[in-house]
Amino acid sequence: MFMKKGLSLCASAILLTACASGSHVVTGTQRAAIDVEVVKVYSEAPKTEYEVVGSIEASSSRGMTQQGRMDSAIEALKEEAAEIGANGIIVSNFPNHSGGISTQVSTGISGGSRGFSSGLGTGITIHPAAVKGTAVYVFDVAELPSIKNPTLTQ
């Protein structure tokens, strides 16, 4: 019973202290903030015309798995991009081993004139997932200037 309470207390503490954070530096033209749902993530530069808005990065220790922490970091990255009006992110690093959990167990026994004492301690460290990218504004085909076809003369 005590073990179940201890584990649930530990899990609650992990969930309450887990967080995601991000930052940005505007290097291009900042636009009005947009809905985060509009922001697309690219692993390479989009094939259509785009403009660099800024540099962004985020990290997260939210999630019990490496994938969960990476997903949370990507969401924080999207929030940063949306805040500066970028509708796309070109991710510059998808680290293979970003984040992780370390566990520690320690024991101790001590003795003296008044008897013996022993102890057991455990610890969990959650290493955050970190990701960086370039915030971009990807132009819609309808927004691009139209190219007029020259008339052919014969």
Side-chain angles (χ1 to χ4, degrees):
M1 182 67 155
F2 177 72
M3 184 64 115
K4 282 186 180 180
K5 276 188 175 181
L7 287 175
S8 66
L9 181 63
C10 184
S12 297
I14 288 171
L15 293 175
L16 291 175
T17 59
C19 64
S21 64
S23 64
H24 63 263
V25 176
V26 176
T27 59
T29 303
Q30 182 171 347
R31 291 178 166 74
I34 61 171
D35 183 9
V36 71
E37 297 301 319
V38 177
V39 180
K40 292 183 181 177
V41 179
Y42 300 92
S43 59
E44 58 185 44
K47 303 294 183 209
T48 185
E49 188 175 340
Y50 67 91
E51 181 180 287
V52 173
V53 179
S55 177
I56 53 179
E57 59 183 53
S59 65
S60 176
S61 57
R62 233 183 254 155
M64 293 304 290
T65 65
Q66 180 178 348
Q67 184 64 53
R69 287 185 296 280
M70 182 57 77
D71 291 346
S72 181
I74 292 291
E75 281 304 310
L77 208 62
K78 288 171 71 174
E79 289 170 10
E80 289 297 318
E83 187 177 319
I84 58 176
N87 63 2
I89 301 166
I90 304 169
V91 177
S92 56
N93 72 326
F94 272 119
N96 293 333
H97 302 292
S98 179
I101 296 177
S102 301
T103 58
Q104 307 86 31
V105 177
S106 60
T107 60
I109 298 175
S110 108
S113 62
R114 296 188 179 184
F116 290 97
S117 62
S118 64
L120 174 66
T122 61
I124 297 176
T125 303
I126 298 177
H127 303 286
V131 65
K132 295 179 181 181
T134 303
V136 295
Y137 184 83
V138 180
F139 293 98
D140 186 1
V141 175
E143 295 176 26
L144 295 174
S146 62
I147 300 172
K148 299 192 190 257
N149 291 330
T151 55
L152 296 174
T153 56
Q154 294 181 337

